[in-house]
Amino acid sequence: MALYCIGDIQGCDDAFAQLLQTVDFSPSRDTLYVLGDLVNRGPKSAEVLRRCMQAGDSMRALLGNHDLHLLAASQGLRRQSKRDTLAQVLEASDRDALLDWLRQQPLARLHTNAHGENLLMVHAGVLPQWSLPDCLALNQEVQTVLQSADFARFLQNMYGNLPDRWTAGLEGDDRLRCIVNAFTRLRFCSEQGVMDFDSAESADQAPQGLMPWFEVPGRATADTPMAFGHWSTLGHINRANLMAMDTGCVWGGCLSMMRIGEHLGERELIQLQCPQAQVPGGKS
């Protein structure tokens, strides 16, 4: 039995299938966490969704910003850009099944191994004030709404950069939007947790007064091992309590998978060089 996590696939199903074959992944034996952005920009988003859906509980996905964009587009709430490749899902004969499966996925997942070690997984990041229990509770708030009959109204009001900081007193759409933005869009923030959504540069090119969210002093989850994707210009990071797994598959980089052993510190990186599906530029 093996445990894996994988960075942003973004519709690159051929690379995904090849990497699964490389590690001899078995749905009856192994577990894979997919760290969000299953779809978009790559050529085979529907195939990625089908592969994960058909694998059942052996593949456990998170929602990323592109996955939420697909759900919003499916409701006619978001226009597609020239770089989007969502039509393959939206025009599929099984689109309703694929979209319903996607809507059931959370923004955060926790894996606890046999030794009681926790691994928290999100697509982008968490705010410095949030503890592990906070992250799980806030994820549940959004997941409950997303799985309700009110989900289309939620998606309609999900977009926007404000509020750009967390306070416990946030309510309604502002509260949900802040949670979604942190979990699916965050890269840089201030020491006080004010989020920036303009820069997608590498960590060493932080705008003045900002830093990568995982470098904020006193972050409440600093002692919680975490894995995340989203930030392709960051590159792979493998620290004791931090794994950054988006290595730009769709841009001609690698699709990265981490095999995790009996203890969370036992890790093996498996990567596959991918053909370029799109030319880099702008935010991913």
Side-chain angles (χ1 to χ4, degrees):
M1 176 179 177
L3 176 68
Y4 302 92
C5 62
I6 191 170
D8 303 33
I9 301 169
Q10 292 201 238
C12 297
D13 186 64
D14 289 346
F16 185 28
Q18 187 174 339
L19 198 53
L20 291 172
Q21 185 175 16
T22 297
V23 301
D24 191 26
F25 182 85
S26 171
S28 64
R29 178 189 65 219
D30 303 325
T31 300
L32 172 67
Y33 287 94
V34 185
L35 301 176
D37 279 2
L38 286 73
V39 304
N40 207 14
R41 304 285 172 82
K44 295 184 177 180
S45 292
E47 283 88 338
V48 173
L49 294 178
R50 290 188 190 108
R51 188 179 301 279
C52 292
M53 182 174 68
Q54 291 166 5
D57 193 50
S58 68
M59 291 189 188
R60 304 172 184 178
L62 296 166
L63 291 174
N65 50 304
H66 284 282
D67 308 313
L68 289 169
H69 177 49
L70 170 58
L71 291 174
S74 74
Q75 299 297 306
L77 302 172
R78 197 73 174 172
R79 293 179 61 182
Q80 296 186 59
S81 74
K82 293 181 179 179
R83 303 180 70 162
D84 286 344
T85 58
L86 299 175
Q88 189 208 16
V89 179
L90 297 175
E91 297 170 5
S93 60
D94 57 347
R95 63 163 271 165
D96 290 346
L98 297 175
L99 294 169
D100 184 66
W101 176 86
L102 191 63
R103 191 158 64 93
Q104 307 308 310
Q105 307 312 308
L107 299 175
R109 285 187 182 271
L110 180 68
H111 179 85
T112 304
N113 66 18
H115 300 279
E117 298 172 322
N118 289 323
L119 177 63
L120 175 62
M121 289 162 282
V122 299
H123 175 61
V126 302
L127 289 173
Q129 304 96 321
W130 294 353
S131 65
L132 173 57
D134 290 334
C135 292
L136 300 178
L138 295 172
N139 161 70
Q140 190 58 56
E141 288 186 34
V142 176
Q143 192 172 10
T144 297
V145 175
L146 192 57
Q147 295 176 4
S148 74
D150 200 34
F151 82 98
R153 194 205 65 80
F154 158 73
L155 291 169
Q156 186 174 25
N157 293 284
M158 178 179 64
Y159 288 93
N161 293 339
L162 296 175
D164 59 4
R165 68 199 72 190
W166 175 256
T167 60
L170 285 174
E171 297 179 346
D173 291 332
D174 284 347
R175 182 180 178 91
L176 295 174
R177 190 181 307 113
C178 188
I179 296 169
V180 168
N181 282 342
F183 279 140
T184 67
R185 298 178 62 202
L186 182 60
R187 292 185 180 95
F188 293 107
C189 66
S190 72
E191 191 168 340
Q192 294 73 36
V194 179
M195 294 182 282
D196 169 78
F197 301 114
D198 293 327
S199 179
E201 303 302 323
S202 60
D204 58 3
Q205 295 178 295
Q208 186 174 3
L210 301 176
M211 62 195 77
W213 63 267
F214 50 84
E215 300 284 12
V216 174
R219 175 169 57 90
T221 51
D223 294 330
T224 301
M226 292 188 62
F228 67 100
H230 182 59
W231 198 345
S232 60
T233 55
L234 181 66
H236 175 63
I237 292 177
N238 185 13
R239 303 178 187 171
N241 284 345
L242 197 77
M243 289 180 275
M245 296 300 298
D246 180 10
T247 47
C249 169
V250 74
W251 311 119
C254 293
L255 184 59
S256 294
M257 178 186 287
M258 189 73 81
R259 180 189 283 121
I260 301 171
E262 182 180 349
H263 291 275
L264 293 182
E266 300 169 2
R267 303 174 191 167
E268 178 188 4
L269 179 65
I270 304 104
Q271 293 184 306
L272 177 69
Q273 185 67 43
C274 302
Q276 186 178 63
Q278 294 211 13
V279 177
K283 301 174 184 177
S284 62

